[in-house]
Amino acid sequence: MLVNSNELLKSALKDNYAIPAYNINNLEWTRYILEACEEDKSPVILAVSESAADYMGGYKVIYSLVKSLLDGLNISIPVVLHLDHGKSFEACKKAIDAGFTSVMIDASSKPFEENIGETIKVVKYASNRGISIEAEIGSLNKEDSNDNNTSIYSTPDEAKDFVFQTNVNSLAPAIGNKHGLYKGEPKLDYELLGSICKSVKIPLVLHGASGLDENKIKTAIFCGISKININTDIQLAWAEKVKNYIASNPEEYDPRKIISSGKNAIKKVVHEKNRLFDSVNRAN
Ligand code: G3H
Ligand code: ZN
């Protein structure tokens, strides 16, 4: 069943667990994630970046693909179809018009007031259509030439002000997290996270959660994270298996065999994350 993320994230916040958001790249990726989450009876957010939407042929293609897989595979868990890091109102509108049930407007690279302005535009369009809205403040992914983290961390006051002015349903703060591979030991500011959680009282989202160990994830959930985004960990697991398969089967050219050689690796990561986030058996 396709739903927005509002009730799922509220329950997760109340009961101290997190809803997984996995990025999808193609038919197989989507299928394996859905199968693993169905086996776990875990709700799931299928996250689609703008570049993944381009790659797959647009938002309408993805909506039809996901709807058809839900029917074809008899998926009974709640599934959210979510635009990840939508950079503009136009991108969010396109996804919503195509049938997405949730969007992230990420105008965090703009000055704070402009981020607020762009987010309000999306909230106005999305909220009376029953679409959940996530936004981001601060900046992730910044490192100087010595690999020092130079990200702009979010503050509890700006988070409160942002949520008050925009009325978003969930918020992704910058607390030392980073997309992709961390160089060295990831250092998340849990005290800051806890203060932001107290000041906004809405579900918080952890981006860049690949590479974070069990203890870090559990602490983040304890401090108020209700949605956790995973992309790189799945890509790494899939790529390793497929590279090995190709190396051991150099004569193989059937794409179904090559792509699906990474199936179990994807499902294994999803099962592990679902257990770690404690989203298993939360489908009802
Ligand atoms: O929006 C997607 C993510 O934040 C995923 O980050 O690739 O580090 O897991 P990751
Ligand atoms: Zn992200």
Side-chain angles (χ1 to χ4, degrees), residues 88-250:
S88 63
F89 168 77
E90 289 70 28
C92 293
K93 181 176 182 300
K94 264 191 201 162
I96 293 167
D97 292 349
F100 277 48
T101 56
S102 182
V103 290
M104 174 189 192
I105 170 66
D106 177 4
S108 61
S109 61
K110 299 188 171 162
F112 189 65
E113 289 305 325
E114 282 179 42
N115 187 0
I116 288 179
E118 193 73 3
T119 303
I120 288 175
K121 260 167 84 178
V122 175
V123 171
K124 278 191 184 148
Y125 190 75
S127 55
N128 58 8
R129 288 173 168 78
I131 309 299
S132 43
I133 307 123
E134 172 184 337
E136 177 167 318
I137 54 171
S139 77
L140 274 60
N141 290 339
K142 295 263 188 321
E143 272 157 352
D144 64 17
S145 49
N146 297 321
D147 294 347
N148 293 315
N149 185 345
T150 57
S151 306
I152 302 166
Y153 286 37
S154 311
T155 70
D157 284 347
E158 71 172 1
K160 190 175 180 175
D161 185 24
F162 188 90
V163 171
F164 177 75
Q165 291 201 52
T166 60
N167 228 354
V168 284
N169 305 115
S170 62
L171 185 69
I175 53 160
N177 45 329
K178 176 186 181 310
H179 286 130
L181 298 173
Y182 285 83
K183 290 180 189 160
E185 182 70 10
K187 290 191 191 83
L188 302 193
D189 190 333
Y190 298 110
E191 212 180 306
L192 175 61
L193 176 60
S195 309
I196 293 173
C197 180
K198 278 198 197 97
S199 73
V200 298
K201 299 187 179 66
I202 62 168
L204 296 178
V205 180
L206 183 62
H207 282 255
S210 290
L212 300 180
D213 64 23
E214 187 172 334
N215 190 34
K216 290 186 172 60
I217 292 287
K218 283 195 183 304
T219 311
I221 295 173
F222 179 77
C223 294
I225 288 293
S226 310
K227 169 177 177 267
I228 301 184
N229 288 18
I230 298 285
N231 186 22
T232 305
D233 275 346
I234 297 181
Q235 292 184 329
L236 288 171
W238 177 82
E240 189 193 345
K241 287 288 174 202
V242 172
K243 284 179 199 166
N244 288 341
Y245 179 84
I246 293 171
S248 346
N249 299 274

